[in-house]
Amino acid sequence: MVKRTIRWIKSWSMAMKHFLFLFTGTSVLFALLAWNNLHDAEQLFRKQVLSDAQVIIDRTNLYLNAYLDNVQNILLLLSTRDDLLDEAHEEEAIQALRQYAEKNSTLYKTLYLIRADGKVMSNTQVYLDIIGNPHLEKLYAQASKSYGVMISEPYDSPLSGKTVAFLLPITSKYGGEMKGMAVIEIDLVKLTNMLAQFMNSKNQTFTIITNKNNVVNTYDSSWPLFYYTLLPYNTTLFPPELKNDFVAKIGDLPIGVTQIDGAKDKLIAVKSGMNRLGWYFIAFIEDSFFYQNLIILYNNYKTAAVVWILILCISTFMMSRYVTYPVRKLVAKMDRVHDMEVLPSISVPGEDEIGKLAKSYNAMMERIHHLLTETKEMEQRKKQYELKMLQSQIAPHFLYNTLACISSLAKQRKIEEVRETIRSLVGLLSFSFDKSHEFVSLEEELEGLRMYAHIQTVRYGNKFTLDMDVDPGTLSIRMLKLTLQPLVENSIFHGIAPQKSVGHIRVRTLLRRGNLIIYIRDNGVGMDMKQLEGVFTERRKAPSKHRFTGIGIMNVQERIQLHYGEKYGLRIASIPHTGTLIQIKLPAHVHEEKDIRNN
């Protein structure tokens, strides 16, 4: 079985053997790296998460507990001044609240003293009298049932924005009866910014929620660019708030470290226990953040890179010696294939794949040379026979109708008209059947067009007029014979003949950027988009009995592009009931004539 396997492997091609070598080496190398990296990453990941989580929880809880102590101290100080709730000391109470607020402006937003009769005094009394605070009545009712400091759920205050209120009932020093309430609305923005100083980088953020899953506040350094936040926000609100389903999810998280889906990537959520404020502090860290300091993994990659480079060097040498050199030789020969008149041959010894490829290449080049020779001959014959075929397509109906018109003129004894018509017909037939030249000057092409227009005028009377605006500098330019006549013929029979009014056809020539531009405009019935799209298919239609030749617009287009290239040819624009404009673009140089021989 083993010997049979070895013989089977030996029968493989060189490419398969080389692939097997590289694949096996790469697989073994990366398998070892993967096992080593996973082991190191797991240890470092756990250590980093636990370390960061412990630091964040300790710092934030210490700060929040200290913050609570400060708030309680202010409330206790206010509770000792029950005299401030007397009506006679109302101004003194407002002044005292202002002093407390100024000394603690980094902690508190608004301070209130609420009397039992509902009178409210504040450090911002003017704003309170104008705007009011509808939440105070509800807070007073809730706090009156407690005996110590009460912390409200987050709410939007007209004076403090989004805030949390701390409340403490104030009783009389002597009778013990409740005289009112001290209320402090804290500045959640400043509190959040202070807590943000404990975070390590921009890859981290946090949120604070109450034990009822209400968001106290959330810090995110990407504000206002919420496209780059770590947490999912509802951006239809202003300011944007965390999505409700995400808040419910983090509220159900257990205390400690948990992985959770963020706005875009995985996050590590570190949730602290409930502090003295009744809040949970939850820090979020990008999962990728923990891999930024994994230096051990980088060292492993460096070692792997060195080993891999050595393997590649050895493989490259082997490939260059046994595989690449013959291939490069073959490519060099193939790159020299520019002139098929000279066939480069390759001589590669050996019967392996490279040798067989060289032999196949030599056979292929001989076949290509033979096919190219045949193609050139066929192309030359095609160009020579094309014009002959087109010139031979003189429609018999055209001759019949023209001769009938001459006969009618003769019966009417209009000798001069008969003479001019015969002269035009003879000239047109001579121009068309002249097989010695495929190219004519623009002047000759226009003369043939005039003779054709004269014959049509004799047949149809004053149905149309033909005007020519010719740049004298264009008359000597050589062009393909029978280029303009089919287009004018098309304007007469498809544009002007169907309408009742007299039609006008104008031919204009000019030079532009080394090109000969010819415009043919008529005021005929025009075409809609569907008809315009089908113009270049008219070659497939049966020729009209009124046509001089079977040459259509598509045939003119193909002849131009066959001789001059794809960038030359026709462009057509048309508007129904207005007319049609044809632009012909040709190279403005004297074309070298080619004799058309009768083979």
Side-chain angles (χ1 to χ4, degrees), residues 22 46 147 152 209 233 409 527:
L22 288 180
R46 290 179 180 274
Y147 298 96
S152 72
I209 62 174
Y233 284 88
L409 292 173
M527 294 177 285

Side-chain angles (χ1 to χ4, degrees), residues 60-68 191 195 275 277 279 281:
T60 53
N61 282 336
L62 285 174
Y63 184 85
L64 291 175
N65 289 336
Y67 191 88
L68 176 61
L191 175 62
L195 294 177
N275 54 33
L277 296 173
W279 296 347
F281 181 89

Side-chain angles (χ1 to χ4, degrees), residues 218-229 233 235 237-241:
T218 300
Y219 174 80
D220 203 310
S221 60
S222 61
W223 165 261
L225 301 176
F226 275 88
Y227 299 101
Y228 306 101
T229 56
Y233 284 88
T235 55
L237 304 176
F238 187 82
E241 297 180 358

Side-chain angles (χ1 to χ4, degrees), residues 37 63 222 227 303 311 339 430 482:
N37 290 342
Y63 184 85
S222 61
Y227 299 101
T303 304
I311 294 175
D339 184 6
S430 176
L482 294 176

Side-chain angles (χ1 to χ4, degrees), residues 251-377:
D252 296 334
L253 290 178
I255 305 300
V257 181
T258 311
Q259 190 179 62
I260 190 172
D261 292 327
K264 295 180 180 179
D265 300 316
K266 293 288 185 180
L267 301 175
I268 302 300
V270 184
K271 185 175 182 181
S272 70
M274 186 172 64
N275 54 33
R276 291 168 55 193
L277 296 173
W279 296 347
Y280 293 98
F281 181 89
I282 307 175
F284 300 97
I285 309 170
E286 278 188 306
D287 189 42
S288 58
F289 170 73
F290 296 104
Y291 297 96
Q292 295 178 1
N293 298 320
L294 301 181
I295 306 300
I296 296 178
L297 291 180
Y298 293 152
N299 293 333
N300 290 340
Y301 280 121
K302 291 178 183 178
T303 304
V306 173
V307 175
W308 180 239
I309 289 174
L310 292 176
I311 294 175
L312 285 180
C313 288
I314 297 173
S315 300
T316 303
F317 174 76
M318 299 295 292
M319 289 182 64
S320 177
R321 185 172 181 83
Y322 297 106
V323 180
T324 308
Y325 176 73
V327 172
R328 287 202 306 266
K329 186 176 179 181
L330 176 61
V331 171
K333 290 288 186 178
M334 295 179 68
D335 287 340
R336 293 171 57 187
V337 180
H338 299 293
D339 184 6
M340 291 305 298
E341 299 297 330
V342 180
L343 292 179
S345 61
I346 301 176
S347 176
V348 178
E351 297 296 328
D352 56 8
E353 290 89 340
I354 304 300
K356 293 178 180 178
L357 182 61
K359 293 178 181 178
S360 298
Y361 168 78
N362 292 332
M364 177 188 69
M365 292 305 297
E366 291 179 1
R367 179 60 177 164
I368 291 176
H369 180 265
H370 178 69
L371 291 176
L372 284 176
T373 302
E374 290 183 351
T375 302
K376 287 182 180 179
E377 292 176 356

Side-chain angles (χ1 to χ4, degrees), residues 4-5 13 70 142 169 205 209 228 353 416 442 518 597:
R4 185 182 303 173
T5 304
S13 65
N70 288 331
Q142 294 176 352
T205 186
I209 62 174
Y228 306 101
E353 290 89 340
E416 188 61 32
L442 175 62
I518 304 174
R597 308 179 187 276

Side-chain angles (χ1 to χ4, degrees), residues 419-447:
R419 183 182 295 111
E420 290 297 325
T421 304
I422 293 175
R423 183 183 296 114
S424 296
L425 179 59
V426 171
L428 183 60
L429 293 176
S430 176
F431 174 76
S432 175
F433 281 118
D434 182 8
K435 300 180 181 181
S436 62
H437 300 288
E438 186 177 0
F439 292 87
V440 295
S441 66
L442 175 62
E443 185 177 11
E444 293 172 324
E445 179 75 6
L446 293 175
E447 181 61 29

Side-chain angles (χ1 to χ4, degrees), residues 500-540:
K500 297 180 180 180
S501 59
V502 177
H504 300 282
I505 301 174
R506 187 185 183 205
V507 179
R508 181 188 176 199
T509 69
L510 53 92
L511 284 173
R512 182 183 296 166
R513 297 179 182 178
N515 293 317
L516 170 62
I517 306 297
I518 304 174
Y519 293 101
I520 300 177
R521 182 194 299 271
D522 68 68
N523 63 344
V525 296
M527 294 177 285
D528 56 25
M529 288 302 297
K530 184 177 181 180
Q531 291 173 314
L532 193 59
E533 291 173 357
V535 162
F536 288 105
T537 63
E538 75 167 337
R539 180 168 58 94
R540 303 184 182 93

